[in-house]
Amino acid sequence: MFNLKLRCWITALRGDSNAMDNVSTERLAEESHRQDSANLLIFITLLTLTILTIWLFKHRRFRFLHETGLAMIYGVLVGVILRFGVHVPQNMSDVILGCAVNNSPATLLVNVSGRFYEYTLKGEVGRGKGHQVQDDEMLRKVTFDPEVFFNILLPPIIFHAGYSLKRRHFFRNIGSILAYAFVGTVISCFVIGLIMYGFVSFMKAVGQLGGDFFFTDCLFFGAIVSATDPVTVLAIFNELKVDVDLYALLFGESVLNDAVAIVLSSSIVAYQPAGDNSHSFEAMAMLKSFGVFLGVFSGSFALGVATGFMTFTKLRDFPLLETALFFLMSWSTFLLAEACGFTGVVAVLFCGITQAHYTFNNLSPDSQDRTKQLFELLNFLAENFIFSYMGLTLFSFQSHVFNPLFIFGAFLAVFLGRAANIYPLSFLLNLGRKNKIGSKFQHVMMFAGLRGAMTFALSIRDTATYARQMMFSTTLLIVFFTVWICGGGCAFELLCASPHLPNIQSKRRDTKHESAWPFRIWYNFDHNYLKPLLTHSGPPLTATLPTCCGPLARCLTSPQAYENEGRLFDDDSDSILNDATVSSMYADVTVSTDASGRTVNRSSGTRGLSDDCVDHDLALAEHEVAIRGTRLVLPVDDPVEPPTTVTLPSPPSPPGSEPRRQRL
Amino acid sequence: MFNLKLRCWITALRGDSNAMDNVSTERLAEESHRQDSANLLIFITLLTLTILTIWLFKHRRFRFLHETGLAMIYGVLVGVILRFGVHVPQNMSDVILGCAVNNSPATLLVNVSGRFYEYTLKGEVGRGKGHQVQDDEMLRKVTFDPEVFFNILLPPIIFHAGYSLKRRHFFRNIGSILAYAFVGTVISCFVIGLIMYGFVSFMKAVGQLGGDFFFTDCLFFGAIVSATDPVTVLAIFNELKVDVDLYALLFGESVLNDAVAIVLSSSIVAYQPAGDNSHSFEAMAMLKSFGVFLGVFSGSFALGVATGFMTFTKLRDFPLLETALFFLMSWSTFLLAEACGFTGVVAVLFCGITQAHYTFNNLSPDSQDRTKQLFELLNFLAENFIFSYMGLTLFSFQSHVFNPLFIFGAFLAVFLGRAANIYPLSFLLNLGRKNKIGSKFQHVMMFAGLRGAMTFALSIRDTATYARQMMFSTTLLIVFFTVWICGGGCAFELLCASPHLPNIQSKRRDTKHESAWPFRIWYNFDHNYLKPLLTHSGPPLTATLPTCCGPLARCLTSPQAYENEGRLFDDDSDSILNDATVSSMYADVTVSTDASGRTVNRSSGTRGLSDDCVDHDLALAEHEVAIRGTRLVLPVDDPVEPPTTVTLPSPPSPPGSEPRRQRL
């Protein structure tokens, strides 16, 4: 494709060509590797520090700063040190090849006196300013390829979110969640886009804008800041034991709107093909974008669900093989989606949800633990890594464009966009819901819409143009503000308000299913046909299919299904429950904790749950602990058992902290 | 450093420069990413296939092919398909920059009309033959940077080996293990090097050699093929329940000689500085190499042990944080060692051993499980990945040099080198050992010296010269031969021989400790001072230190140590045992398994062990299952309890396979 014969010149950075000759390629590569190790070590140290501080916070029951906020603070500190404290001069091994080529190919083969060396494109490091860009080697070295976020760090986070979706309440509120996630995110995207377009036009008029900023850019900005993060506030919610429905709504919405926002942003990019400078409205391009949105979303969805179905493991006797297979199947979903041109992150999300619903039942108990713990760990590491990197980029990123007017506009737009998502939709949903979404409930949803890893990853993906650089800098500030201020404020508000927040904590006994009949049809189909086909549990197909299908049914039913028949109700009770079941299945157990936060409970077959466990394992535990209002309610075998209080001998506690009853 | 002003020219591969202009960089990057995903998917599919086949083999109790051998077969198949079936033409986005530069820098900054793009060196793709090298895009794309093995895949494998070292028997046989690992590996390296030098000289004389091959190359070859793999045979051993002493000797030797071989090979490289073409013997260079060996080895050792000591976790209440911290500390050991110029893999090995000895005792039971399972999984995935990649490179590597004479010489040299390691050393060791190493025992060690991941990683690291390419091709064949033939043969021999192999299975009750007094001094120091200082277990320092150190002792002893005092003997009994203890602590428990391979045992506090569990968890289980001869011997609380046979209800087994007593 290249038919250019150009003169390139290698610009020398510093003199002395002789010294170079002696140093062999191997030595240079070794030096570079050593440098890379040191840089990675910075992040590992940051994570270690974060973990130790989190432990301290948990130990001291300090709740107003979430671990991700903490990781950001450490990141900012290191960023400041790298920016102002350490100055590593330009690496001697770098060479600037100045070619008047029109493009930067993905791979470069350099012919060095007969040997071919392959170079891969790491990314753009800056434009125009030549020497200024290369100035600080250290800052450039700690900059990751933005694709690392999409291909390595986001997938485990998103998969974990899907895998740990609180399924019972998620499916019960599926209608509202889909409304918030799809309609709400699109509304938010357009509201923010329009407001920003107004601001940008004004800035252009007063000469405050240093480059192009098109309407599609505004919409793109709207899409990326519409992705809310399920992490921060939910961790606090979990610790505070808020209403399960609020939890399910918020969690479901923030998990799904990540998927919507990522597909939305790529559709907006598809609207304006590169090289076309007209930037006017075109119906065809609009339709194409819509097509892209539908195609990519449904493709990713189908792929994720299909792989989730396929992970039909029969390796129960070998937990290691089973866990490895589970991990590889989830990963291959991501890769397959990317290879097909869909969105891997979205596919992984639906794969996670499907696997939690079907495959999880097929796993041996040992593998259930292992997979949960593995993805919990990966999620924890990836999340804290992203947030500390976020803190770091505030100072290490070299092309920041902080424009006060734009920043002000963005904060306003984000606020209004979230409001335009939550309040009108809640009003409309309340018309159809039996279990109304109260106004306090709505306020909490409004402020709990933090921006996190997804917003950051989307905004750092492309920082080539002026518009994108300004977006990135502003997005960074929005994330910081929402995580530190909204996150902390939310915790504070919830902590103070929890004793007298009737709207949040009522509706304990009178929960009704919304969207009853479509949900019931789906549930029956799922329970009678899909579950028996895809898992070892469920009623045998021989019982649910008409007798004429007898041989087929016998062939498709797992031998274990017959034995597990009785177990099914327990396994699946998370999907549908009527009020009679709820009241007969639950018996109240009062929970007491000791000073170190270990929650102790008593129930047949349920392990002692630590605080951490409550944080993370809730959604998956088969005998799920339902947090209703202010009491931990456990399903126990004997429904008439009176409430019991159990206090286990507390582990050695640090001097000065007395074991005490936890305020629930 | 560069002061060259050179004319470079971009060689067009195919015409049509216009098409290039329209395709934006983003599209190209996307295309490249999609391609990468597809390539990675090949490997994931390979691993998935391997897992499914392993399961089938385990299920059918087919033992003659280990999972790694299987992974290699699949790799070879895919390699054949890629080589002969698929032909993807040269990627259009590649550009050959032909510059008369003397070196290939690690980073290249390309100035494309004002924008700077960073390119990182991926590696050499071939020399001289220009177009032939670039011919098949697909083959080039599935080739990984060799450093991936050292920086990503080897560390978890080696750490796992260290973390799961069968500690009791390892420390009991430490003298012999060190002799085999250090003296033996050096002997083997020089024997192989000398034999190869003879062959190479002969080949040069008859004109069979197509390039330079120096004596240092021969020695380097000797070093890399002296690293034996602990994986394959040991898995078979484990399943066959061979003598623990043989197990400990083999495992300890193969784990440590990996470390010795890697440091040895880098010392040999240091002997001959690049650019120096004299290749004559120099005493100074020899001394320098020896210094490098000592420095790198002891540096890595010290670093690993130091970080192992430092991981003194007190986060028992939060298993997730604890596991994350443990993982990060292990990783940072590797990075720190690499950043300091030591060998990360060696540091990680000693870090693993130290953490198994000290940190493991500090972890909460939950974290003990989690860390074990995590590293088991990582090890499993990395190992099978390396072996399937190995199979793939047999056909995908483009610069193979298969020289029949050299290959014949190499096989002979490897055989003789191993013999020169095992037999003379065993003879010398037997002079000092009370528990003699029998001759059958020696034969098994001789043939169990398979070559695996480390040999492969060392040989693929540098394939730039003719000598290295020939070494790589030959090494590949050696690995294939040893894994398939020796591995399978060993399993066969052991299976057939096990009922009448008295030398291997005797010495049950008359085991004596070798190197009694230095070991006892170390043990006492470790038990009385190090363990109490570094772990929560152990006797309180207040009890072991002289009374004058009272305040210091109180300050340094963990509060939990007082409570755990009673538990200590159990925890630590893996380090020293006299015969009285052995006979009083063990009671025989006969083990019965059902058809699916689940081994069932009865012992206080020991979970039911699956076959898999026996494979992997043995070395770490606190109540360790000692496999002596043909019986599983479990430590039980009541030493006078008679042997018990327990048969649990078997899980649903596939039709046709009856639960049966396992032939042990």
Side-chain angles (χ1 to χ4, degrees):
Chain A
M1 303 299 279
F2 265 85
N3 207 354
L4 323 163
K5 290 224 171 196
L6 297 163
R7 295 186 180 193
C8 308
W9 56 97
I10 295 181
T11 319
L13 293 173
R14 279 164 196 81
D16 189 9
S17 65
N18 283 337
M20 194 63 202
D21 299 337
N22 295 337
V23 187
S24 70
T25 311
E26 277 163 37
R27 291 283 164 85
L28 281 175
E30 198 183 307
E31 192 51 52
S32 154
H33 168 66
R34 204 180 281 191
Q35 183 66 42
D36 287 345
S37 300
N39 294 334
L40 202 48
L41 203 56
I42 292 176
F43 287 99
I44 306 281
T45 316
L46 269 181
L47 287 184
T48 310
L49 271 181
T50 310
I51 289 175
L52 290 177
T53 324
I54 296 168
W55 170 73
L56 201 71
F57 280 16
K58 289 213 177 201
H59 199 70
R60 301 247 176 261
R61 315 204 135 265
F62 179 81
R63 283 206 194 88
F64 300 104
L65 190 57
H66 187 251
E67 55 204 51
T68 50
L70 200 68
M72 282 203 307
I73 292 179
Y74 281 123
V76 169
L77 290 181
V78 172
V80 169
I81 294 171
L82 288 184
R83 181 64 174 251
F84 303 109
V86 189
H87 185 85
V88 180
Q90 172 62 34
N91 192 328
M92 295 172 287
S93 62
D94 285 348
V95 176
I96 297 189
L97 270 175
C99 309
V101 259
N102 291 330
N103 273 286
S104 57
T107 313
L108 211 61
L109 295 167
V110 178
N111 178 349
V112 182
S113 40
R115 290 183 177 196
F116 282 86
Y117 290 93
E118 185 177 2
Y119 284 83
T120 45
L121 181 60
K122 201 182 162 193
E124 199 180 352
V125 286
R127 50 190 337 222
K129 300 165 205 156
H131 279 267
Q132 189 227 319
V133 168
Q134 319 314 326
D135 208 28
D136 198 327
E137 175 68 11
M138 193 70 186
L139 289 186
R140 200 168 55 70
K141 278 273 186 183
V142 293
T143 306
F144 281 85
D145 179 0
E147 293 303 313
V148 165
F149 297 104
F150 277 89
N151 301 323
I152 297 172
L153 296 171
L154 272 188
I157 297 179
I158 301 290
F159 181 86
H160 180 72
Y163 197 53
S164 63
L165 255 190
K166 225 176 145 54
R167 286 173 291 151
R168 183 193 314 172
H169 300 283
F170 174 73
F171 281 111
R172 213 197 272 173
N173 292 288
I174 188 84
S176 309
I177 290 173
L178 288 179
Y180 283 124
F182 280 85
V183 185
T185 307
V186 173
I187 292 176
S188 163
C189 166
F190 277 88
V191 167
I192 295 175
L194 285 170
I195 296 177
M196 288 324 290
Y197 192 60
F199 263 91
V200 165
S201 305
F202 173 72
M203 283 161 67
K204 200 177 271 168
V206 299
Q208 282 270 320
L209 211 60
D212 285 337
F213 209 111
F214 302 109
F215 182 60
T216 44
D217 289 327
C218 294
L219 276 186
F220 182 80
F221 182 70
I224 64 175
V225 295
S226 293
T228 57
D229 194 275
V231 177
T232 325
V233 171
L234 290 177
I236 302 161
F237 274 32
N238 233 332
E239 229 161 283
L240 295 179
K241 327 270 181 277
V242 296
D243 185 2
V244 272
D245 278 314
L246 175 55
Y247 185 95
L249 270 183
L250 247 178
F251 194 48
E253 188 234 336
S254 31
V255 165
L256 284 185
N257 78 3
D258 276 1
V260 175
I262 192 174
V263 182
L264 207 57
S265 64
S266 65
S267 313
I268 291 167
V269 169
Y271 175 81
Q272 197 70 57
D276 178 6
N277 281 314
S278 60
H279 287 280
S280 57
F281 180 80
E282 279 179 49
M284 271 314 291
M286 179 77 192
L287 274 179
K288 188 189 153 208
S289 277
F290 191 68
V292 167
F293 180 86
L294 279 189
V296 169
F297 197 92
S298 54
S300 310
F301 175 82
L303 205 69
V305 172
T307 339
F309 276 175
M310 267 175 55
T311 323
F312 177 37
T313 148
K314 280 202 162 201
L315 285 66
R316 295 176 68 97
D317 303 321
F318 307 100
L320 175 66
L321 298 186
E322 205 170 41
T323 312
L325 190 68
F326 191 89
F327 176 77
L328 290 178
M329 288 302 286
S330 317
W331 194 11
S332 61
T333 309
F334 176 83
L335 292 174
L336 195 62
E338 291 284 318
C340 296
F342 299 128
T343 311
V345 174
V346 178
V348 148
L349 171 65
F350 291 107
C351 175
I353 297 177
T354 317
Q355 290 190 327
H357 196 58
Y358 297 110
T359 319
F360 190 76
N361 294 322
N362 292 344
L363 298 176
S364 63
D366 194 3
S367 298
Q368 292 181 344
D369 279 350
R370 281 180 183 222
T371 52
K372 269 193 297 181
Q373 290 169 358
L374 175 70
F375 285 107
E376 194 184 321
L377 180 70
L378 291 181
N379 170 65
F380 178 84
L381 291 176
E383 205 174 85
N384 283 294
F385 183 86
I386 289 193
F387 277 87
S388 56
Y389 186 73
M390 230 185 266
L392 191 78
T393 45
L394 184 63
F395 285 93
S396 73
F397 186 68
Q398 309 230 344
S399 318
H400 272 306
V401 179
F402 288 112
N403 185 321
L405 206 55
F406 188 84
I407 292 168
F408 173 73
F411 271 86
L412 188 70
V414 164
F415 183 80
L416 293 179
R418 183 77 186 164
N421 170 357
I422 298 296
Y423 295 116
L425 272 183
S426 303
F427 176 75
L428 289 176
L429 287 172
N430 273 342
L431 297 180
R433 278 179 76 100
K434 283 172 188 151
N435 172 23
K436 306 286 185 215
I437 302 166
S439 64
K440 290 225 168 183
F441 204 117
Q442 292 172 29
H443 298 328
V444 171
M445 283 193 78
M446 167 82 202
F447 285 99
L450 308 192
R451 272 66 178 176
M454 179 61 84
T455 301
F456 173 77
L458 281 171
S459 69
I460 204 179
R461 199 168 201 179
D462 179 6
T463 51
T465 66
Y466 171 79
R468 292 291 171 87
Q469 284 163 6
M470 197 157 72
M471 276 187 220
F472 174 65
S473 307
T474 310
T475 304
L476 217 51
L477 293 183
I478 292 174
V479 173
F480 283 7
F481 180 82
T482 54
V483 169
W484 284 337
I485 311 296
C486 291
C490 229
F492 186 74
E493 193 192 335
L494 281 169
L495 266 179
C496 299
S498 50
H500 40 83
L501 244 185
N503 278 342
I504 290 185
Q505 287 162 3
S506 66
K507 321 277 184 209
R508 223 170 30 244
R509 292 288 173 209
D510 56 347
T511 39
K512 289 264 162 61
H513 321 300
E514 54 159 342
S515 58
W517 65 263
F519 178 65
R520 260 167 209 282
I521 289 174
W522 157 250
Y523 172 75
N524 285 330
F525 177 72
D526 181 50
H527 176 263
N528 289 338
Y529 305 108
L530 281 183
K531 282 240 169 170
L533 184 66
L534 296 168
T535 73
H536 300 307
S537 56
L541 279 173
T542 42
T544 55
L545 280 178
T547 41
C548 60
C549 310
L552 183 72
R554 261 191 298 284
C555 166
L556 291 174
T557 304
S558 153
Q560 276 161 272
Y562 299 101
E563 297 170 33
N564 295 340
E565 206 175 345
R567 214 165 53 91
L568 184 76
F569 183 74
D570 277 349
D571 275 9
D572 252 14
S573 54
D574 52 346
S575 288
I576 197 163
L577 282 173
N578 57 39
D579 290 343
T581 331
V582 170
S583 35
S584 76
M585 261 190 70
Y586 288 103
D588 289 357
V589 175
T590 314
V591 171
S592 116
T593 55
D594 55 53
S596 62
R598 221 155 55 101
T599 309
V600 169
N601 57 52
R602 190 195 160 283
S603 132
S604 56
T606 315
R607 295 169 309 173
L609 291 167
S610 71
D611 246 2
D612 232 320
C613 201
V614 171
D615 268 350
H616 299 280
D617 290 352
L618 257 181
L620 288 167
E622 208 128 275
H623 296 270
E624 200 177 16
V625 181
I627 302 166
R628 327 193 123 247
T630 56
R631 289 199 289 184
L632 262 183
V633 189
L634 294 170
V636 292
D637 285 345
D638 179 7
V640 294
E641 195 177 23
T644 339
T645 304
V646 195
T647 312
L648 285 197
S650 57
S653 46
S657 74
E658 287 292 311
R660 63 171 192 272
R661 298 272 301 192
Q662 189 183 11
R663 181 171 60 89
L664 280 168
Chain B
M1 302 299 276
F2 265 84
N3 208 356
L4 323 163
K5 292 223 171 198
L6 296 164
R7 293 184 182 194
C8 308
W9 56 96
I10 295 182
T11 319
L13 293 173
R14 279 165 198 81
D16 189 7
S17 66
N18 283 337
M20 196 61 203
D21 299 337
N22 294 338
V23 187
S24 71
T25 312
E26 278 163 37
R27 291 284 163 84
L28 279 175
E30 198 183 309
E31 191 51 51
S32 154
H33 167 66
R34 202 181 283 191
Q35 183 65 42
D36 287 345
S37 299
N39 294 333
L40 202 47
L41 202 56
I42 292 176
F43 288 100
I44 307 282
T45 315
L46 270 180
L47 288 184
T48 311
L49 271 179
T50 310
I51 289 175
L52 291 177
T53 323
I54 295 168
W55 169 74
L56 201 72
F57 279 16
K58 289 213 176 198
H59 198 70
R60 301 245 174 264
R61 314 201 136 265
F62 180 81
R63 283 207 194 86
F64 300 105
L65 190 55
H66 187 251
E67 55 205 50
T68 49
L70 200 69
M72 282 203 307
I73 291 178
Y74 282 122
V76 169
L77 290 181
V78 172
V80 169
I81 294 171
L82 289 185
R83 180 64 175 249
F84 302 109
V86 189
H87 185 84
V88 181
Q90 172 62 34
N91 192 330
M92 296 171 289
S93 62
D94 285 347
V95 176
I96 295 190
L97 271 174
C99 308
V101 260
N102 291 330
N103 274 286
S104 57
T107 314
L108 212 61
L109 295 168
V110 178
N111 177 351
V112 182
S113 40
R115 291 182 176 196
F116 281 87
Y117 291 93
E118 184 176 1
Y119 285 82
T120 45
L121 181 61
K122 201 181 162 194
E124 197 180 355
V125 287
R127 49 193 333 226
K129 300 166 206 157
H131 280 267
Q132 191 229 319
V133 169
Q134 320 313 326
D135 208 28
D136 199 326
E137 175 68 12
M138 193 69 187
L139 288 186
R140 201 168 54 72
K141 278 274 186 181
V142 293
T143 307
F144 282 84
D145 178 359
E147 293 303 313
V148 164
F149 297 103
F150 278 88
N151 300 322
I152 297 173
L153 296 171
L154 272 188
I157 296 180
I158 301 292
F159 181 86
H160 180 72
Y163 197 52
S164 62
L165 254 190
K166 222 175 150 54
R167 286 174 291 152
R168 181 192 314 171
H169 300 283
F170 175 74
F171 281 112
R172 211 196 274 174
N173 292 288
I174 188 84
S176 307
I177 290 172
L178 289 178
Y180 284 123
F182 280 84
V183 185
T185 308
V186 173
I187 291 176
S188 162
C189 167
F190 277 88
V191 167
I192 295 174
L194 286 170
I195 296 175
M196 287 325 290
Y197 192 62
F199 264 90
V200 165
S201 305
F202 174 72
M203 282 160 69
K204 200 177 271 170
V206 299
Q208 284 270 321
L209 211 59
D212 284 338
F213 209 111
F214 301 110
F215 182 62
T216 44
D217 291 327
C218 295
L219 276 187
F220 182 80
F221 182 72
I224 64 176
V225 296
S226 293
T228 57
D229 195 279
V231 178
T232 324
V233 171
L234 291 177
I236 302 162
F237 274 31
N238 233 331
E239 229 161 283
L240 296 179
K241 326 269 179 279
V242 296
D243 184 1
V244 273
D245 278 317
L246 175 55
Y247 185 96
L249 270 183
L250 247 178
F251 195 50
E253 188 234 335
S254 32
V255 166
L256 284 185
N257 80 2
D258 276 2
V260 175
I262 193 174
V263 181
L264 206 57
S265 64
S266 65
S267 312
I268 291 167
V269 170
Y271 175 80
Q272 196 71 57
D276 179 5
N277 282 315
S278 61
H279 289 278
S280 58
F281 180 80
E282 279 179 48
M284 271 315 290
M286 178 77 191
L287 273 179
K288 188 187 154 209
S289 278
F290 192 68
V292 167
F293 180 87
L294 278 189
V296 169
F297 197 92
S298 55
S300 310
F301 175 81
L303 206 68
V305 172
T307 340
F309 276 175
M310 268 175 54
T311 323
F312 176 38
T313 149
K314 279 203 162 197
L315 286 64
R316 295 177 68 98
D317 302 322
F318 308 98
L320 175 66
L321 297 186
E322 205 170 42
T323 312
L325 190 69
F326 191 88
F327 176 77
L328 290 178
M329 288 302 285
S330 316
W331 195 11
S332 60
T333 308
F334 176 82
L335 291 174
L336 195 63
E338 291 284 319
C340 296
F342 298 129
T343 310
V345 173
V346 178
V348 147
L349 171 66
F350 291 107
C351 176
I353 297 176
T354 318
Q355 289 189 328
H357 196 59
Y358 297 110
T359 319
F360 190 76
N361 295 321
N362 292 343
L363 297 177
S364 62
D366 194 2
S367 299
Q368 293 182 342
D369 279 349
R370 282 180 183 220
T371 51
K372 268 192 296 180
Q373 289 169 358
L374 176 70
F375 285 107
E376 194 184 321
L377 180 70
L378 291 181
N379 170 65
F380 178 83
L381 291 176
E383 204 173 85
N384 283 293
F385 183 88
I386 289 193
F387 277 87
S388 56
Y389 186 74
M390 229 185 267
L392 192 77
T393 44
L394 185 62
F395 286 91
S396 74
F397 185 68
Q398 309 229 343
S399 318
H400 272 306
V401 179
F402 289 112
N403 186 320
L405 206 57
F406 188 84
I407 293 168
F408 172 74
F411 272 87
L412 187 72
V414 164
F415 182 82
L416 293 179
R418 183 77 187 164
N421 170 356
I422 298 297
Y423 295 116
L425 272 183
S426 304
F427 175 76
L428 289 176
L429 287 172
N430 274 341
L431 297 181
R433 277 179 76 101
K434 282 170 189 152
N435 172 23
K436 305 287 184 213
I437 302 165
S439 64
K440 290 224 167 181
F441 204 117
Q442 293 175 28
H443 298 329
V444 172
M445 283 194 77
M446 167 83 202
F447 285 100
L450 308 193
R451 271 66 176 176
M454 179 61 83
T455 300
F456 173 77
L458 281 172
S459 68
I460 204 178
R461 199 169 201 177
D462 179 4
T463 51
T465 66
Y466 171 80
R468 292 292 170 88
Q469 285 163 7
M470 197 157 74
M471 275 185 220
F472 174 65
S473 307
T474 311
T475 305
L476 218 50
L477 293 183
I478 292 174
V479 173
F480 284 7
F481 180 83
T482 53
V483 170
W484 284 337
I485 311 297
C486 291
C490 229
F492 185 75
E493 192 193 337
L494 282 169
L495 265 179
C496 298
S498 50
H500 41 83
L501 245 184
N503 278 342
I504 290 184
Q505 286 159 4
S506 66
K507 323 276 184 209
R508 239 197 342 267
R509 292 287 173 211
D510 56 345
T511 39
K512 286 266 165 60
H513 322 297
E514 53 158 343
S515 57
W517 64 264
F519 178 64
R520 263 170 207 281
I521 290 174
W522 156 250
Y523 171 76
N524 285 330
F525 176 73
D526 180 51
H527 176 266
N528 290 338
Y529 306 107
L530 281 182
K531 282 238 169 173
L533 184 66
L534 296 169
T535 72
H536 300 307
S537 56
L541 279 174
T542 43
T544 54
L545 279 177
T547 42
C548 59
C549 309
L552 183 72
R554 261 190 299 280
C555 166
L556 290 175
T557 304
S558 155
Q560 278 162 271
Y562 298 100
E563 298 171 31
N564 295 340
E565 202 176 347
R567 215 163 54 91
L568 185 78
F569 182 74
D570 276 349
D571 276 9
D572 253 15
S573 54
D574 52 345
S575 287
I576 196 164
L577 283 172
N578 55 41
D579 290 343
T581 330
V582 170
S583 34
S584 76
M585 261 189 70
Y586 289 103
D588 289 357
V589 175
T590 315
V591 172
S592 111
T593 52
D594 54 54
S596 62
R598 221 156 55 101
T599 309
V600 170
N601 58 53
R602 190 192 160 288
S603 134
S604 58
T606 314
R607 296 168 309 173
L609 291 167
S610 70
D611 247 1
D612 233 320
C613 199
V614 172
D615 268 351
H616 299 280
D617 292 350
L618 259 179
L620 288 166
E622 208 129 272
H623 295 268
E624 201 177 15
V625 182
I627 302 165
R628 325 193 124 248
T630 55
R631 289 199 289 184
L632 264 183
V633 189
L634 295 170
V636 292
D637 285 344
D638 179 7
V640 294
E641 196 178 23
T644 339
T645 304
V646 194
T647 312
L648 283 200
S650 59
S653 47
S657 75
E658 288 292 311
R660 64 173 192 271
R661 295 276 299 195
Q662 188 184 12
R663 181 170 61 88
L664 279 168

